């Protein structure tokens, strides 16, 4: 075969390959053209290459050079076609292959549970009022859940039917243990370890074997508060309750105390907040009973204090208009996503 024929065939190949690669506007078309021209087995370039053997010895170097140049040109055409697809522009015009106005792929993001959100908001509010946040164990002994809180042996609050006592403690004959029924346990734990003045809140789970209904659940959360110093009065308690309620629920909140009884406070009150046209009870409060101070080694002649325990679910539900506590624990994503 003459050298001119050989190089002519290469020229023709280059021309038609360039045209095909330019027309290739999708990845599939580019791939099709690549196989057609540069395919290792039956590619058209390979076909021409086979003719190299028919070229005379003298002309072979020139023919080989031309073959290499063609190969590079085809490779370049392929690279350009691919990069155009990546950039979303076709050789034919500016029409983008990638449509940026199409809706994207959305991912489902994780979500913070409304009670967790409420807990951090309440902690923030109390933090601004100067209360630091502390924690305590959910598995408690009788001492912290009852004895040190001045709850007498025969008090109905200790009834096994009203508490989750843990059988392992009974079996090993140790101090009875239970899932704490109130966060007031943390008052004791803090006072045992710290000297006054004390200004803390503790937010956490408590457990009572109640049948679940719209307003009860066997596990719920409380926010316990404790303020101990010289000359702390009931007026301080009411001020803190008012500032807290105003921060969490909003302006127009009123606070009402109704006389009540708790073994660990004297006097004791039920705490109601008025908001959105309604009085709702949120928990108990009162002035720390001298017996509680004695149990932790404080001198009740020297310090006074107030304590309160508010229902976290109730606060969250009232503010967000949730009417059934069970909704918070069904883990229905449709419901939880609203918060
Ligand atoms: N621990 C009480 C309850 O669970 C609430 C409370 C806390 C009352 C602190 C007074 C003082 O009902």
């Amino acid at each position: 075969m003459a050298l001119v024929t050989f190089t002519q065939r290469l020229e023709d190949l280059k021309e038609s390959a360039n045209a095909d690669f330019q027309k290739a506007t999708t990845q599939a078309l580019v791939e099709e053209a690549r196989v057609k021209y540069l395919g290792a087995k039956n590619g058209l370039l390979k076909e021409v290459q086979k003719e190299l053997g028919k070229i005379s010895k003298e002309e072979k170097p020139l023919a080989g050079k031309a073959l290499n140049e063609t190969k590079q040109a085809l490779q370049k055409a392929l690279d350009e076609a691919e990069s155009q697809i990546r950039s979303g522009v076709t050789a034919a015009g500016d029409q983008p292959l990638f449509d940026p106005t199409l809706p994207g792929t959305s991912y489902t993001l994780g979500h913070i549970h409304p009670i967790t959100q409420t807990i951090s908001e309440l902690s923030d509010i109390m933090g601004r009022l100067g209360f630091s946040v502390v924690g305590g164990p959910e598995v408690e002994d009788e001492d912290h859940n009852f004895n040190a809180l001045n709850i007498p042996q025969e008090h109905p609050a200790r009834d096994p039917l009203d508490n989750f006592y843990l059988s392992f403690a009974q079996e090993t004959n140790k101090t009875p243990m239970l899932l704490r029924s109130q966060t007031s346990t943390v008052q004791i734990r803090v006072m045992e370890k710290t000297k006054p003045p004390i200004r803390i809140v503790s937010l956490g789970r408590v457990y009572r074997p109640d049948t679940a209904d719209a307003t009860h659940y066997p596990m719920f959360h409380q926010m316990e508060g404790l303020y101990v110093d010289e000359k702390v009065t009931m007026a301080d308690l009411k001020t803190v309750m008012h500032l807290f309620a105003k921060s969490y629920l909003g302006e127009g909140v009123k606070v009402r105390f109704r006389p009540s009884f708790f073994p660990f406070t004297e006097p004791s009150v039920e705490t109601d907040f008025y908001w959105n046209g309604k009085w709702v009870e949120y928990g108990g409060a009162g002035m720390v009973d001298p017996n509680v101070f004695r149990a932790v080694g404080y001198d009740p002649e020297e310090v006074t204090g107030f304590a309160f325990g508010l229902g976290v679910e109730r606060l969250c539900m009232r503010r967000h208009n949730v009417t059934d506590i069970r909704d918070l624990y069904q883990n229905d994503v449709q419901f939880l996503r609203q918060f």
Side-chain angles (χ1 to χ4, degrees):
M1 184 185 274
L3 178 63
V4 275
T5 322
F6 185 76
T7 49
Q8 188 55 52
R9 287 187 62 176
L10 287 174
E11 277 308 311
D12 294 347
L13 190 62
K14 216 193 302 185
E15 207 174 293
S16 92
N18 274 335
D20 278 1
F21 277 123
Q22 276 185 16
K23 273 186 286 179
T25 51
T26 65
Q27 192 62 55
L29 288 173
V30 171
E31 178 60 10
E32 198 179 290
R34 187 194 65 79
V35 172
K36 179 174 170 192
Y37 293 100
L38 290 159
K41 261 200 190 143
N42 300 312
L44 291 177
L45 189 67
K46 267 270 138 64
E47 295 295 316
V48 183
Q49 193 179 344
K50 282 179 196 155
E51 308 290 322
L52 201 57
K54 298 179 188 159
I55 305 278
S56 69
K57 211 175 157 200
E58 298 74 45
E59 287 175 334
K60 209 167 253 171
L62 281 174
K65 196 174 164 227
L67 182 76
N68 268 338
E69 280 166 8
T70 306
K71 196 174 179 179
Q72 277 162 16
L74 295 194
Q75 188 61 48
K76 196 171 154 229
L78 168 67
D79 291 346
E80 274 166 11
E82 277 181 338
S83 81
Q84 268 168 357
I85 281 179
R86 255 178 269 123
S87 68
V89 181
T90 67
D94 311 319
Q95 195 65 29
L97 292 170
F98 160 70
D99 181 353
T101 65
L102 284 176
T105 318
S106 64
Y107 296 93
T108 318
L109 280 185
H111 194 79
I112 297 178
H113 191 277
I115 289 298
T116 312
Q117 290 183 38
T118 305
I119 286 175
S120 42
E121 199 177 332
L122 301 184
S123 310
D124 278 358
I125 293 172
M126 294 311 293
R128 288 200 291 276
L129 291 175
F131 288 74
S132 39
V133 179
V134 299
E138 289 175 29
V139 173
E140 262 297 3
D141 52 46
E142 231 183 4
D143 262 339
H144 292 90
N145 203 87
F146 300 122
N147 300 349
L149 285 164
N150 196 35
I151 300 176
Q153 279 303 330
E154 67 285 0
H155 196 280
R158 297 184 184 242
D159 193 325
L161 292 176
D162 290 330
N163 292 284
F164 287 108
Y165 283 95
L166 299 168
S167 54
F168 76 85
Q170 250 100 336
E171 281 154 19
T172 51
N173 236 354
K174 287 206 205 97
T175 330
M177 304 283 281
L178 71 161
L179 299 180
R180 68 178 178 193
S181 61
Q182 50 184 353
T183 44
S184 301
T185 53
V186 185
Q187 292 183 35
I188 304 301
R189 290 200 172 267
V190 170
M191 288 191 283
E192 277 171 346
K193 279 191 305 215
T194 344
K195 294 240 157 316
I198 285 176
R199 212 165 1 167
I200 57 100
V201 281
S202 187
L203 297 104
R205 297 187 186 102
V206 298
Y207 302 84
R208 296 176 192 175
D210 289 326
T211 308
D213 62 23
T215 53
H216 295 84
Y217 208 75
M219 181 281 301
F220 59 99
H221 296 73
Q222 287 185 326
M223 172 167 75
E224 191 81 14
L226 176 68
Y227 185 6
V228 182
D229 204 345
E230 287 166 17
K231 304 194 181 84
V232 176
T233 70
M234 199 110 179
D236 298 317
L237 170 61
K238 199 155 192 179
T239 304
V240 167
M241 287 293 93
H242 190 239
L243 290 173
F244 162 73
K246 226 168 68 173
S247 301
Y248 185 65
L249 294 171
E251 289 298 325
V253 163
K254 284 182 243 174
V255 176
R256 178 172 77 183
F257 283 164
R258 282 176 297 115
S260 185
F261 176 81
F262 297 101
F264 34 94
T265 46
E266 183 58 36
S268 303
V269 293
E270 300 291 344
T271 306
D272 303 343
F273 298 153
Y274 178 89
W275 183 65
N276 262 359
K278 214 169 138 186
W279 283 104
V280 174
E281 181 198 319
Y282 288 93
M287 301 307 292
V288 179
D289 193 289
N291 283 340
V292 174
F293 282 146
R294 279 184 207 108
V296 295
Y298 285 10
D299 182 353
E301 299 301 322
E302 273 175 20
V303 289
T304 56
F306 68 69
F308 60 85
L310 304 180
V312 172
E313 276 78 357
R314 207 169 270 194
L315 285 160
C316 167
M317 287 166 70
R318 181 88 182 100
R319 171 142 129 206
H320 297 290
N321 244 323
V322 176
T323 49
D324 194 322
I325 190 174
R326 290 168 294 191
D327 287 340
L328 293 169
Y329 297 112
Q330 228 98 73
N331 285 336
D332 175 349
V333 176
Q334 302 260 41
F335 170 82
L336 295 177
R337 232 187 243 141
Q338 303 174 87
F339 297 87

